[in-house]
């Protein structure tokens, strides 16, 4: 009888835990440790952009990676004068990467990374792509024509867009 009761107690506890957890609303699209994720963005060259990241693990050190290169946790990112890491004082756990005056060198994969969390392993957001549309206008297309020629002269203006 005692063995039978001992077997029922863990099963009952497991059933309660399973039922209780099944009722929690956990979005499948956001990995554990994050409450907001960056998204793929496309901007025109010269525009500013913000890549957003919301972290739910207290005591976290957050940094961004660009094409696998770790940018570091400092608000002013060394070697990247147009980049800054901003925390929102009104909301704990927001770590946004701001890039001012985007140029084609900013066209890359980015990832928000969390390390040294007090209550969990290192985490990384899914990689996102920042695409920069650069433009260059081609003009001054001309043609030499002989007097009396039947050729028609026309002007062409084209804009080339570069990006992934």
């Amino acid at each position: 009888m005692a063995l039978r009761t001992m077997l029922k107690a863990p099963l009952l506890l497991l059933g309660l835990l399973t039922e209780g957890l099944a009722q929690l609303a956990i979005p499948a699209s956001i990995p554990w440790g994050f409450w907001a994720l960056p998204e793929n963005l496309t901007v025109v060259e010269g525009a500013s952009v913000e890549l957003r990241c919301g972290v739910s693990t207290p005591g976290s050190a957050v940094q961004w990676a660009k094409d696998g290169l770790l940018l570091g946790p400092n608000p002013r990112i060394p070697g990247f004068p147009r980049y800054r890491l901003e925390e929102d004082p009104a909301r704990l756990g927001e770590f946004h990467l701001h890039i001012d005056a985007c140029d084609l060198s900013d066209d890359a994969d980015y990832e928000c990374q969390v390390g040294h969390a007090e209550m969990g392993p290192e985490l990384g957001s899914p990689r996102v792509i920042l695409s920069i549309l650069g433009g260059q206008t081609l003009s001054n297309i001309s043609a030499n024509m002989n007097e009396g020629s039947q050729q028609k002269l026309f002007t062409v203006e084209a804009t080339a867009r570069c990006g992934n």
Side-chain angles (χ1 to χ4, degrees):
M1 184 70 141
L3 179 60
R4 192 176 200 177
T5 305
M6 288 177 60
L7 289 176
K8 285 184 180 179
L11 291 176
L12 178 62
L13 179 60
L14 180 61
L16 288 173
L17 287 174
T18 309
E19 284 296 315
L21 291 176
Q23 295 175 5
L24 289 176
I26 301 174
S29 60
I30 298 182
W32 180 86
F34 292 93
W35 55 266
L37 293 173
E39 297 178 356
N40 293 331
L41 295 173
T42 301
V43 298
V44 176
E45 189 174 15
S48 294
V49 71
E50 175 184 79
L51 296 172
R52 301 179 58 78
C53 182
V55 177
S56 57
T57 53
S60 300
V62 176
Q63 66 179 334
W64 283 82
K66 174 186 177 183
D67 283 337
L69 173 68
L70 298 177
L71 301 177
N74 296 329
R76 288 287 175 196
I77 299 171
F80 294 86
R82 296 178 295 104
Y83 289 34
R84 70 183 185 280
L85 179 63
E86 243 179 48
E87 291 183 63
D88 187 343
R91 295 187 55 138
L92 293 176
E94 286 192 12
F95 298 90
H96 309 313
L97 178 63
H98 293 269
I99 305 173
D100 294 322
C102 290
D103 64 31
L104 294 178
S105 70
D106 302 318
D107 193 297
D109 292 342
Y110 292 85
E111 179 184 14
C112 178
Q113 295 186 349
V114 182
H116 308 296
E118 294 172 0
M119 302 174 66
E122 291 187 17
L123 307 168
S125 71
R127 286 185 176 208
V128 296
I129 299 169
L130 175 60
S131 298
I132 310 300
L133 299 177
Q136 181 179 14
T137 301
L138 305 175
S139 58
N140 298 330
I141 298 175
S142 61
N144 291 329
M145 293 181 21
N146 295 329
E147 237 178 88
S149 172
Q150 297 297 317
Q151 294 178 347
K152 294 184 179 178
L153 179 62
F154 58 93
T155 302
V156 174
E157 185 174 314
T159 301
R161 297 267 182 221
C162 301
N164 288 348

